[in-house]
Amino acid sequence: MKIVSMTTYRVPPRWLFLKIETDEGITGWGEPVLEGRAEAVAATVEELSDYLIGQDPTRIEDLWTVLYRGGFYRGGGIHMSALAGIDQALWDIKGKALGVPAHDLLGGRVRDRIKVYSWIGGDRPAETAQAAREVVDRGFTAVKMNGTEELQYLDTWAKVDQCVANVAAVRDAVGPNIGIGVDFHGRVHKPMAKVLLRELEPYRLMFVEEPVLSENVDGFVDVLRQSPIPIALGERLYSRWDFKSVLASGAVDIVQPDPSHCGGITEARKIAHMAEAYDVALALHCPLGPIALAACLQIDAGCYNATIQEQSLGIHYNTSNDLLDYLTDPAVFTYDDGQVAIPTGPGLGIEINEQYVAERAAEGHRWRNPVWRHSDGSVAEW
């Protein structure tokens, strides 16, 4: 079997799909996208196709190594996202060729289903308590919210009080037994992160995500180690080498690699197994589309330390299209009692509605995250 073509589709609301076709008529799908940089990733996929056309798609580890090491310069969001979507599509092809789900080729399942959480509230948290109650009423047992708006290095107690009030309102709305993740989104710098972590202790959080940017963790390890709140991060880390020092620091309790950003199923599994050696949990990042979620679930199936899965159904970014729109059978992602079953179909376990993909790709998107500014006019972290 040989790869004969690679086609990308930029589809709303902000996703990029990849179709890899073979000379035996088997097609694989991947989701190689970095939010806000879809065009750049698509261009990189096209460049990398020179290494893939005519090659055997089942030699996944070798092809991954060529795509990572063969260009001399390596790593970073654009390169690793392009590689990620290609890798996902290769696993899809191999599973379909052999008639088994990808996780069967990776040692088989250690679980049949995994807990999922639902996003509540947008970039500027408001009415999050009501949203949380509605999500719990739909059967979810865990939620995640953005904790703050923009924060200066040193900001006001009013901003701190607002964050705490938002979290307190959600806790009151859902009761003591629902998991609450609070995402600082890298918006919080070290001086204010120290304050917020302390002030949020009473609310029994599931985790705090990106309490500071990943590149600043090394200067913050003592505070993170001492916090009773589990610390999660990793969506902006792109390889096992990026995670190495973070894991060794002992400051992180949950790693969140994104299999559409960190080199795909092949690399995300290696990161997960590294984390397991440090007794660190895995919660794969996935505010993306159905192919990305399917890839995540293939990884979750075989990683003992996988604990909860992000998914984008109803997320505030999904305005013109939502998670299930591009699937021939949306029931593959049925949520029951706050969990989703691991897909058992061949490859990634989903069937893409290719006609609808092509139709929506004709519209495309040019999604960009907002640029925020502080009251003094300086750029704020979004």
Side-chain angles (χ1 to χ4, degrees):
M1 184 163 50
K2 304 295 182 186
I3 296 170
V4 296
S5 70
M6 298 171 60
T7 309
T8 53
Y9 301 88
R10 192 156 36 94
V11 297
R14 57 176 192 160
W15 304 331
L16 184 72
F17 294 169
L18 166 66
K19 178 178 71 172
I20 297 182
E21 296 178 280
T22 69
D23 61 354
E24 295 188 7
I26 298 173
T27 296
W29 289 87
E31 195 165 332
V33 66
L34 193 67
E35 299 92 300
R37 299 293 180 265
E39 296 92 339
V41 177
T44 303
V45 169
E46 195 282 327
E47 289 184 331
L48 293 176
S49 70
D50 291 348
Y51 300 93
L52 294 162
I53 301 299
Q55 297 300 311
D56 177 356
T58 66
R59 295 189 61 185
I60 298 173
E61 191 72 37
D62 183 66
L63 292 176
W64 195 100
T65 303
V66 168
L67 296 179
Y68 182 76
R69 299 182 185 275
F72 188 77
Y73 299 103
R74 61 196 67 169
I78 303 297
H79 178 205
M80 297 305 287
S81 296
L83 176 47
I86 293 168
D87 179 83
Q88 293 167 7
L90 296 178
W91 282 109
D92 197 29
I93 289 169
K94 189 162 188 172
K96 289 174 178 175
L98 297 173
V100 297
H103 63 255
D104 266 14
L105 303 175
L106 297 165
R109 299 195 304 270
V110 300
R111 62 177 50 79
D112 300 321
R113 63 195 64 85
I114 190 167
K115 186 175 182 177
V116 292
Y117 65 78
S118 182
W119 263 95
I120 54 171
D123 294 324
R124 298 186 176 276
E127 299 179 356
T128 46
Q130 179 182 342
R133 185 67 261 169
E134 292 171 354
V135 164
V136 171
D137 288 344
R138 296 204 313 268
F140 287 92
T141 58
V143 299
K144 188 170 82 171
M145 59 187 288
N146 276 332
T148 71
E149 298 180 358
E150 61 267 47
L151 283 181
Q152 289 275 18
Y153 276 83
L154 290 174
D155 218 311
T156 65
W157 277 100
K159 289 278 190 78
V160 174
D161 291 342
Q162 185 61 58
C163 173
V164 173
N166 285 340
V167 174
V170 171
R171 176 54 75 204
D172 289 343
V174 301
N177 299 318
I178 297 297
I180 300 174
V182 176
D183 190 355
F184 285 6
H185 219 250
R187 297 169 183 169
V188 184
H189 298 281
K190 178 179 175 181
M192 299 306 296
K194 293 167 64 175
V195 174
L196 283 169
L197 286 173
R198 184 190 66 223
E199 295 295 314
L200 291 172
E201 285 182 17
Y203 299 99
R204 298 183 175 184
L205 299 180
M206 181 170 60
F207 57 77
V208 163
E209 180 173 334
E210 273 198 326
V212 292
L213 291 168
S214 299
E215 56 263 36
N216 295 329
V217 166
D218 58 349
F220 202 53
V221 289
D222 289 341
V223 175
L224 296 178
R225 288 174 184 150
Q226 292 168 13
S227 175
I229 303 172
I231 301 300
L233 60 82
E235 68 189 69
R236 288 188 262 197
L237 301 176
Y238 306 113
S239 71
R240 73 198 93 148
W241 296 279
D242 289 347
F243 278 91
K244 184 166 61 172
S245 60
V246 169
L247 288 167
S249 75
V252 176
D253 306 293
I254 306 160
V255 290
Q256 299 173 301
D258 188 317
S260 280
H261 302 336
C262 74
I265 293 171
T266 298
E267 186 70 357
R269 275 176 51 87
K270 293 175 181 179
I271 294 165
H273 295 325
M274 284 174 61
E276 185 183 355
Y278 286 91
D279 205 23
V280 168
L282 176 72
L284 294 171
H285 182 254
C286 189
L288 295 169
I291 305 169
L293 179 57
C296 286
L297 294 175
Q298 296 299 323
I299 298 164
D300 291 328
C303 290
Y304 179 76
N305 55 335
T307 183
I308 196 166
Q309 179 58 58
E310 182 174 26
Q311 53 82 42
S312 74
L313 186 64
I315 198 171
H316 50 289
Y317 302 118
N318 295 356
T319 52
S320 54
N321 281 97
D322 212 331
L323 176 69
L324 306 179
D325 293 352
Y326 295 100
L327 297 175
T328 300
D329 178 17
V332 70
F333 291 145
T334 298
Y335 302 130
D336 183 31
D337 194 27
Q339 297 183 320
V340 65
I342 304 298
T344 57
L348 297 184
I350 58 172
E351 185 177 347
I352 295 298
N353 184 337
E354 186 171 346
Q355 181 178 345
Y356 187 65
V357 168
E359 182 181 314
R360 298 301 290 140
E363 177 179 321
H365 68 83
R366 197 173 176 85
W367 187 86
R368 297 290 184 266
N369 62 257
V371 175
W372 287 1
R373 292 187 181 272
H374 295 294
S375 59
D376 64 4
S378 62
V379 172
E381 294 282 356
W382 172 74

